[in-house]
Amino acid sequence: MLGPLVVLDGDRARPVDGHRRRALLAALVSRRGRTVPPAELEDALWPDGPPPSAHHTLHTHVSRLRRELGVPVEARDGGYALDVPAEAVDAGRFGALLAAARRVPEQDPERAVRLLTEALALWRGPAYGGAADLPGVRAEARALEARRLQARERLATALVHAGRPDDAVVVAEALVADEPARETGWAELIRALVAAGRPADGVAAYHRAAAELAELGLLPAAALRAAQAEALAAPDHAQAPGAGAPDAAPGPDGHPDPERTPAVPSTWSPLVGRDADLRALDDLLQDARLVTLLGPGGVGKTRLALEVLRTRQTRHRSGVRWVDLASVHDASAVAASTVSALGVTTDAGPTAAALRRAGALDVLVVLDNCEHVLDAVAEVVEELLAGGRARLLATSRERLGVPAERVHPVRPLGTEGDGAARRLFLDRAAAAGAHVDEGDLATVDAVVQQLDGLPLAIEMAAARTMTTGLRELADALRADAADLRSPHRRGSERHRTLRAVIAWSQRLLDDRQREALQRWPVLAGPVPIQDAVAVLEVEPRDVEDLVARSLLLLHPTP
């Protein structure tokens, strides 16, 4: 099927002689496993109309296929069938190899290259050869040709990821020579040239593609323009996947705009107790294009997001971007602030178009502190996702509510024994110049338990050990933990004190929810929702809203 029709008998090829016999075999093999009515087979043998003897002649051709070529055609009630396993047909083997290549993990691109190469090697010419235009065969032949083109594109991509961009260029050049109007093929060629350290040739390939499309009266679509933007943003040296990010984000016409490239905040202190979170997020971001880090203020969502950026920054061709929304209080300014932080402008069109251009890049974008402008953030996220490639990581005290969203709850650190909360306190206390003896560990454990394992509060408390003894610190926290202050001179106002963290969360509540939260301390520990509703005299939905806003945590049922 993947070329002129041939029947293989062991290693010996047996050509199918006679155009009617070829037409009959093509009609049967294109519907293998199904019963084909005689009328459909007659249409394939006599496209201009069957003769009076068509029924008898059809039966004769079927008998010759069986006798002379050994083709197992079955006579069934209602017609004829060629019922053979998929591996008995080259098109079936081709499909199996493509499916196997799709299942190969990203970490093993060489295996994908081998499978795709083997699949494409099965082709000997156009699908079905000269029988491709017969009625009933045409659709199957076109479908096979389309899958062949997709396989060639996937091979180019796999070669790039396997560190063989020069080979990818050869594959992609051959593809666009055969299909000059295929934009996805041109996009693969441009990316292969960029990976091979030839971004200027990538830009030239874009102009070649645009010229081919112009002859057909077409303009380059978003995917091809995104590939051009990556070529324009690439440095002059080789940049294979994982070699680093471009120096600047693309401007509205795809040109890099160094003045608008945002800075990602630096992290100087080690991240403690989040190894499991990092592994889970890495797995999530392999498949999901939007992941929201959900948790209360001070639990460490921003710090965790920064660590994700650090570990993944070399895995995205267009790098990583940081969008800090903490200081954006006007919801109408969220889209413009995001576009600016991404390094693009709206000079070439509306803000939504700029967001989609950014979303077409292979980039990881963090949207930090979303909870106070959720509706506006949701709109921005939908435009970025519409670009088709960007991956988004949001931090919020409440989920965004976008259909593509995957949520990863960020929990307080464990406070039992030599847990992460104790390790964080000891690390930050040492940084402050304090020495904690072995005999003080019980007091440290009492402090971190008093602070519910909240990383921000633990860091604030540890910083005070420079001026306050551990026992005095524990007593002060029992009296008023909200009085803790950040040791850092810079940082957002809402994180300068623990009281400010709490106030920020309360500001986002309505009166009923705020009243329910303020009454909650009368409950000493975990409590069923129906008991809390009865004691606090609030509506169940108010309690559920507090959980949704990360102000109450669901306690696991034993």
Side-chain angles (χ1 to χ4, degrees), residues 296-299 412-413 415 421 424-425 443-464 473-474 476-478 480-484 498:
V299 80
L413 299 177
T415 60
L424 178 62
F425 185 96
T443 305
V444 171
D445 292 344
V447 167
V448 298
Q449 289 169 12
Q450 175 70 24
L451 298 174
D452 294 324
L454 201 66
L456 179 62
I458 291 172
E459 293 191 355
M460 291 177 174
R464 285 184 61 176
L473 174 62
L477 294 180
R478 281 191 289 270
D480 187 6
D483 195 43
L484 284 172
L498 198 56

Side-chain angles (χ1 to χ4, degrees), residues 41 127 233 335 383 424 525 548:
L41 296 175
E383 295 295 347
L424 178 62

Side-chain angles (χ1 to χ4, degrees), residues 472-495:
E472 290 78 9
L473 174 62
D475 292 339
L477 294 180
R478 281 191 289 270
D480 187 6
D483 195 43
L484 284 172
R485 293 182 174 275
S486 171
H488 306 299
R489 296 185 182 276
R490 301 179 64 185
S492 65
E493 282 298 323
R494 66 183 190 179
H495 283 165

Side-chain angles (χ1 to χ4, degrees), residues 109-135:
E110 278 290 358
R111 185 176 172 216
V113 169
R114 290 195 298 272
L115 290 168
L116 291 166
T117 302
E118 184 180 350
L120 289 166
L122 294 171
W123 286 76
R124 298 166 288 105
Y128 287 92
D133 285 329
L134 291 173

Side-chain angles (χ1 to χ4, degrees), residues 77-143:
D77 185 18
Y80 297 94
L82 180 61
D83 195 359
V84 295
E87 60 270 18
V89 183
D90 56 2
R93 295 199 296 276
F94 176 69
L97 288 167
L98 293 190
R102 279 196 296 270
R103 293 193 296 268
V104 172
E106 292 183 5
Q107 297 83 358
D108 192 9
E110 278 290 358
R111 185 176 172 216
V113 169
R114 290 195 298 272
L115 290 168
L116 291 166
T117 302
E118 184 180 350
L120 289 166
L122 294 171
W123 286 76
R124 298 166 288 105
Y128 287 92
D133 285 329
L134 291 173
V137 176
R138 187 180 301 115
E140 173 72 7
R142 290 179 178 175

Side-chain angles (χ1 to χ4, degrees), residues 13-89:
R14 304 179 65 178
V16 184
D17 297 326
H19 73 279
R20 299 206 193 281
R21 201 176 308 177
R22 285 195 297 273
L24 174 60
L25 180 57
L28 287 168
V29 77
S30 68
R31 299 167 175 81
R32 63 188 182 280
R34 292 153 45 195
T35 301
V36 187
E40 290 187 21
L41 296 175
E42 290 168 9
D43 287 341
L45 271 64
W46 296 281
D48 296 329
S53 60
H55 185 76
H56 175 74
T57 307
L58 171 63
H59 180 72
T60 300
H61 284 304
V62 169
S63 298
R64 287 179 177 175
L65 284 178
R66 293 176 182 145
R67 183 177 63 254
E68 299 175 12
L69 296 175
V71 178
V73 183
E74 299 178 7
R76 293 180 178 178
D77 185 18
Y80 297 94
L82 180 61
D83 195 359
V84 295
E87 60 270 18
V89 183

Side-chain angles (χ1 to χ4, degrees), residues 33-275:
R34 292 153 45 195
T35 301
V36 187
E40 290 187 21
L41 296 175
E42 290 168 9
D43 287 341
L45 271 64
W46 296 281
D48 296 329
S53 60
H55 185 76
H56 175 74
T57 307
L58 171 63
H59 180 72
T60 300
H61 284 304
V62 169
S63 298
R64 287 179 177 175
L65 284 178
R66 293 176 182 145
R67 183 177 63 254
E68 299 175 12
L69 296 175
V71 178
V73 183
E74 299 178 7
R76 293 180 178 178
D77 185 18
Y80 297 94
L82 180 61
D83 195 359
V84 295
E87 60 270 18
V89 183
D90 56 2
R93 295 199 296 276
F94 176 69
L97 288 167
L98 293 190
R102 279 196 296 270
R103 293 193 296 268
V104 172
E106 292 183 5
Q107 297 83 358
D108 192 9
E110 278 290 358
R111 185 176 172 216
V113 169
R114 290 195 298 272
L115 290 168
L116 291 166
T117 302
E118 184 180 350
L120 289 166
L122 294 171
W123 286 76
R124 298 166 288 105
Y128 287 92
D133 285 329
L134 291 173
V137 176
R138 187 180 301 115
E140 173 72 7
R142 290 179 178 175
L144 282 171
E145 291 291 349
R147 296 182 72 191
R148 182 187 189 184
L149 293 172
Q150 292 168 358
R152 294 170 73 180
E153 290 175 355
R154 290 172 59 196
L155 176 58
T157 300
L159 285 166
V160 169
H161 287 293
R164 297 164 56 185
D166 291 331
D167 292 337
V169 170
V170 172
V171 171
E173 283 282 15
L175 175 58
V176 299
D178 293 340
E179 297 287 334
R182 189 173 178 85
E183 293 189 63
T184 48
W186 283 106
E188 291 298 338
L189 173 59
I190 293 169
R191 294 190 178 99
L193 288 165
V194 171
R198 300 162 56 188
D201 290 338
V203 175
Y206 171 83
H207 291 298
R208 287 163 52 198
E212 293 283 358
L213 294 170
E215 290 187 8
L216 301 174
L218 300 174
L219 293 174
L224 185 53
R225 295 198 305 272
Q228 179 210 23
E230 291 185 26
L232 289 164
D236 291 335
H237 55 79
Q239 182 167 335
D247 294 331
D253 56 357
H255 290 280
D257 189 355
E259 299 300 322
R260 302 186 63 82
T261 301
V264 175
S266 300
T267 56
W268 307 107
S269 56
L271 182 64
V272 177
R274 295 300 188 191
D275 291 346

